[in-house]
Amino acid sequence: DLLLIRFHGIDDTSHKFAPHSKEALAVIAKTDKMGQELCGLWDGYVIVVADHGQHQVVEDGKKGNHGEFWSSDMFIPLLRREAI
């Protein structure tokens, strides 16, 4: 069995307000809570991974962006929980 879930709010909010803004941190906290709730309903393995990081900018109306050869853009956290 495989369950794939993608939350896009962190990326959108980080582009608009900056990666470490209070707005982005609030969306990260909300997404973390939703992930915890979903994990509590799933009794198999859980792997959590991001598709990319992001760095702060001021360009084209954005305050955050990615796609550069920066460690902040390329850092991909990977979390694993054993089956319950």
Side-chain angles (χ1 to χ4, degrees):
D1 294 333
L2 174 68
L3 175 64
L4 176 65
I5 300 171
R6 181 171 186 248
F7 296 107
H8 205 267
I10 296 170
D11 188 64
D12 292 340
T13 305
S14 295
H15 277 296
K16 185 174 182 179
F17 295 103
H20 299 98
S21 64
K22 65 180 181 184
E23 294 86 356
L25 295 176
V27 172
I28 290 168
K30 180 180 176 183
T31 304
D32 185 54
K33 183 170 175 39
M34 289 188 295
Q36 288 177 25
E37 291 173 6
L38 288 169
C39 287
L41 300 171
W42 181 256
D43 59 355
Y45 288 100
V46 174
I47 299 172
V48 179
V49 63
D51 58 347
H52 56 74
Q54 198 168 124
H55 64 275
Q56 189 164 334
V57 297
V58 177
E59 63 185 26
D60 300 326
K62 295 180 182 179
K63 294 186 179 176
N65 212 347
H66 48 81
E68 302 291 332
F69 194 68
W70 294 25
S71 60
S72 58
D73 291 7
M74 296 184 296
F75 177 71
I76 309 293
L78 174 66
L79 308 171
R80 180 177 177 240
R81 182 194 75 178
E82 296 293 328
I84 297 174

